[in-house]
Amino acid sequence: MGCLVYGANGYSGTLLARLAVARGERPVLAGRSPAPVRALAEQLGLPYRAGPPSPELLEGVDAVVNCAGPFAATARPMVAACLAAGVHYLDITGELDVFAWMFAQDGAARAAGVAMITGAGFDVVPTDCLAALLAAELPGAVALELAFSAPGGLSRGTARTALAEMGSGALRRVGGELVATRFGSPSRSVPLPSGSRRVGATRWGDLVTAWHSTGIPDITVYMPLPPGATLAPLFGFPPLRRAAQALVRPGGPAASVRESSGCEAWAEVRDAAGTTRAATLTGPNAYALTADASLRAVQRVMAGEVGPGVHTPSSALGAGFVRTLDGVSVSLT
């Protein structure tokens, strides 16, 4: 039956389902809420299932793309179900703690003969591939800096996760260890393709994924700071964070917004002698890129191109994977 899209009724899951149908695929749609999953499945003429992650939910399926956030709640039971059923697993998480947990499952995935790719969407595909590309260009690199910009609005799930991440502060990897820092600190200007931008440190997934992809011991990831970023520590207070999350409206960017917005990324590596290599990337709207990347990734997994174990996008599919995506351009500088 091919792949199953879990969380198909969510914003990213729906985009993935629609893109799959447009490219001639017939995934099984699934989620925790029967009514919206059934409505989308009937609209697209696809089979559907409903319920929590379980081996029974995955019967007859080759691979799962988990689009149901928060992934801190769904990754563990879905991974357990995939291991029990011998089903390949992909997700589009950007949650740093989930990445760390996923890599701890590598031995179990290898023993089960299951391939797993975590972060198979915008959340790390562009930056992970740039990091791997530059690590190959400068094999002795000891420091990696990454920055990204993805205007065009957020889905409800992404916005709620972002509020939680902001409240937790930023992190850097120093000497191979994660070190806490204030959200937005340090900050610097970086040469994104559209021009120089002031960016600040954040808790991006590459602090875990790029470490696994490249082994570079010092990693900092930056993003343009949103309005009110100085108030980020307040979201560490649970009642205030929950109140802010409750105000986030369902849905995500309209099609017109997705079509008129894009994403950018910049990366630079440095070796002990001070030699540097840098690269930039431009691409479509982050949600469009996520649907394209996750669909292409699961197709390659089902084609047997990815071995058992837990992988980053670049370690599974190569640093050049991002260049295969629609509308993506990469330049070495």
Side-chain angles (χ1 to χ4, degrees):
M1 294 186 70
C3 79
L4 179 145
V5 178
Y6 193 71
N9 55 299
Y11 185 80
S12 292
T14 297
L15 291 180
L16 172 56
R18 293 187 182 282
L19 181 63
V21 169
R23 293 183 180 174
E25 302 287 347
R26 288 185 52 79
V28 179
L29 306 188
R32 291 163 288 194
S33 303
V37 173
R38 181 176 63 249
L40 179 63
E42 290 176 349
Q43 184 182 118
L44 297 177
L46 296 175
Y48 72 93
R49 302 172 183 178
S54 67
E56 293 72 26
L57 187 75
L58 307 183
E59 185 175 352
V61 169
D62 298 315
V64 170
V65 182
N66 183 11
C67 299
F71 294 91
T74 64
R76 286 169 172 79
M78 185 58 82
V79 165
C82 287
L83 291 173
V87 170
H88 304 303
Y89 171 90
L90 299 88
D91 65 39
I92 58 169
T93 188
E95 298 168 38
L96 189 144
D97 292 342
V98 173
F99 286 129
W101 180 83
M102 282 295 305
F103 289 112
Q105 313 313 306
D106 182 67
R110 291 178 183 275
V114 169
M116 297 188 169
I117 303 178
T118 186
F122 172 80
D123 291 290
V124 296
V125 167
T127 43
D128 184 59
C129 288
L130 287 187
L133 174 68
L134 291 179
E137 288 282 318
L138 192 65
V142 297
L144 166 67
E145 292 192 306
L146 296 160
F148 66 92
S149 175
L154 302 176
S155 70
R156 185 185 190 188
T158 303
R160 296 181 73 173
T161 298
L163 288 169
E165 294 287 296
M166 288 172 62
S168 299
L171 290 170
R172 304 174 70 194
R173 192 171 286 276
V174 180
E177 300 296 326
L178 292 175
V179 176
T181 182
R182 182 172 54 85
F183 182 76
S185 178
S187 64
R188 59 163 293 175
S189 292
V190 298
L192 290 170
S194 62
S196 181
R197 292 285 300 275
R198 193 74 186 174
V199 292
T202 186
R203 297 172 62 91
W204 199 244
D206 286 281
L207 294 167
V208 175
T209 54
W211 163 247
H212 281 268
S213 299
T214 70
I216 295 174
D218 292 356
I219 303 174
T220 305
V221 187
Y222 303 94
M223 63 176 288
L225 298 180
T230 56
L231 302 177
L234 296 178
F235 296 117
F237 184 53
L240 182 59
R241 181 176 65 250
R242 287 194 292 269
Q245 289 173 327
L247 296 175
V248 179
R249 303 170 76 176
S256 59
V257 175
R258 292 196 307 273
E259 292 166 3
S260 63
S261 60
C263 66
E264 300 177 295
W266 165 89
E268 183 179 84
V269 291
R270 184 182 69 254
D271 67 13
T275 303
T276 62
R277 294 288 188 274
T280 58
L281 175 149
T282 59
N285 176 272
Y287 292 100
L289 188 150
T290 292
D292 186 22
S294 57
L295 179 57
R296 292 178 189 269
V298 74
Q299 288 171 330
R300 290 183 59 177
V301 167
M302 291 190 297
E305 298 180 25
V306 181
V310 179
H311 307 272
T312 70
S314 72
S315 69
L317 306 168
F321 172 64
V322 74
R323 285 187 162 120
T324 71
L325 304 182
D326 290 350
V328 169
S329 177
V330 174
S331 299
L332 294 174
T333 59

